[in-house]
Amino acid sequence: MWHRPCPRLHVDAGDEVVFAWRSFEAYPILMELAGARQVRVPLDDAEGHDLDAMTAAVTDRTKVILLCTPNNPTGVPISRDRLEAFLQSVRSHVLVVIDEAYVEYADAGSGPDSLALYRQYPNVCILRTFSKAYGLAGLRVGYAVAVPAIAEGLRRTALPFSVSALAQKAAIASLDAGEEMAARASAVREERARMAAELEAQGWKLQPSQGNFLWIRADEVLLATLVEAFNGAGIMVRAYQGDGVRITVADAASNDCVLRLLAAHAA
């Protein structure tokens, strides 16, 4: 187990890594550390991965493609049909990393069956984490599912001692608490649906989220207004300069505070 696989496994200086943007903010940082050339492909109009544009962005220098589903911070998943068609178009030597940090919060069938795709496509590597639905964020532990050659490369390039023995024990123990984790994730899904319905009724335009958060697209003026309002109310949200704000789904009482605040700023 480890926190994040090292990008040096598959990428040399000057190689290209294709990923959607906006997506997980660590991707550009990891590419800089590896000396890779970043190829950022804008999200589509539905705030999801534009797989056609990502296909067109692949060149002979492309070594890795990063796919985040559900996407962070927009919450939009990649459907199985779209992802399978995409994988069929990707050359077998290009590593396709499917980042599923929030997969436990997704409705059944909303995204791909990544494990089935991994069994079919040996160039697929799946990343998952115990930091979200399992509640072990402070321990920073996750895992990868990959063919032996890729897994061995991950072991060789992972930072030593990046995951403590205690973190490993906690992660293994949490696997025995699957019912509790599923119940927590189900509660989040129910609150997410309630919040989304209320916000849409207020006039906010949302894309269906499959993460434990909701995404509001906002220009600089609206974003500044919302951030100031949330800060004044003592509510922590994640602002993405020039793009929007990500609001984590919490307990019902906290979510009601968010709904009241956003009602006061609805168009």
Side-chain angles (χ1 to χ4, degrees):
M1 294 183 179
W2 48 81
H3 174 215
R4 282 280 172 181
C6 176
R8 290 173 295 181
L9 161 68
H10 207 72
V11 176
D12 295 319
D15 289 338
E16 294 178 352
V17 178
V18 176
F19 56 95
W21 196 253
R22 180 174 290 272
S23 194
F24 183 39
E25 61 267 33
Y27 294 159
I29 298 171
L30 292 172
M31 296 313 103
E32 289 182 11
L33 291 174
R37 179 177 178 270
Q38 302 175 31
V39 181
R40 304 188 188 190
V41 178
L43 298 174
D44 61 22
D45 292 339
E47 304 280 14
H49 285 54
D50 188 339
L51 295 183
D52 290 339
M54 294 184 77
T55 299
V58 173
T59 72
D60 291 339
R61 294 293 297 169
T62 302
K63 283 291 190 69
V64 177
I65 300 171
L66 302 174
L67 304 174
C68 186
T69 179
N71 186 47
N72 174 19
T74 64
V76 177
I78 305 172
S79 71
R80 172 165 184 164
D81 291 343
R82 292 178 63 231
L83 182 50
E84 186 156 14
F86 177 76
L87 290 173
Q88 290 173 356
S89 72
V90 175
R91 298 173 185 174
S92 60
H93 71 275
V94 177
L95 180 63
V96 180
V97 178
I98 302 176
D99 185 347
E100 293 189 315
Y102 297 91
V103 69
E104 290 86 2
Y105 297 108
D107 295 328
S110 64
D113 183 347
S114 59
L115 292 175
L117 293 174
Y118 148 75
R119 295 184 182 100
Q120 185 177 355
Y121 298 93
N123 60 325
V124 164
C125 173
I126 302 166
L127 300 184
R128 292 186 178 177
T129 180
F130 289 92
S131 292
K132 311 304 178 186
Y134 284 97
L136 302 184
L139 300 185
R140 311 304 292 168
V141 58
Y143 63 96
V145 179
V147 297
I150 294 173
E152 178 59 24
L154 290 172
R155 294 187 186 96
R156 290 177 179 274
T157 57
L159 294 175
F161 313 116
S162 60
V163 178
S164 68
L166 179 61
Q168 292 189 47
K169 289 181 181 296
I172 293 171
S174 71
L175 292 174
D176 292 327
E179 291 185 4
E180 181 181 348
M181 184 277 291
R184 290 201 304 265
S186 178
V188 168
R189 287 193 291 270
E190 291 178 6
E191 277 296 293
R192 182 181 67 200
R194 181 179 75 89
M195 291 182 70
E198 176 63 26
L199 291 175
E200 288 174 348
Q202 292 177 9
W204 296 99
K205 294 181 180 179
L206 304 178
Q207 295 294 336
S209 172
Q210 295 298 321
N212 65 330
F213 47 80
L214 297 171
W215 170 253
I216 294 179
R217 174 69 64 174
D219 60 23
E220 293 290 349
V221 175
L222 177 58
L223 182 60
T225 299
L226 291 178
V227 169
E228 182 179 4
F230 278 119
N231 287 341
I235 299 172
M236 183 179 295
V237 296
R238 187 64 178 270
Y240 294 82
Q241 201 68 28
D243 289 317
V245 61
R246 189 189 70 187
I247 303 168
T248 299
V249 177
D251 60 273
S254 298
N255 295 335
D256 286 340
C257 293
V258 170
L259 292 173
R260 287 194 295 268
L261 185 151
L262 288 173
H265 294 85

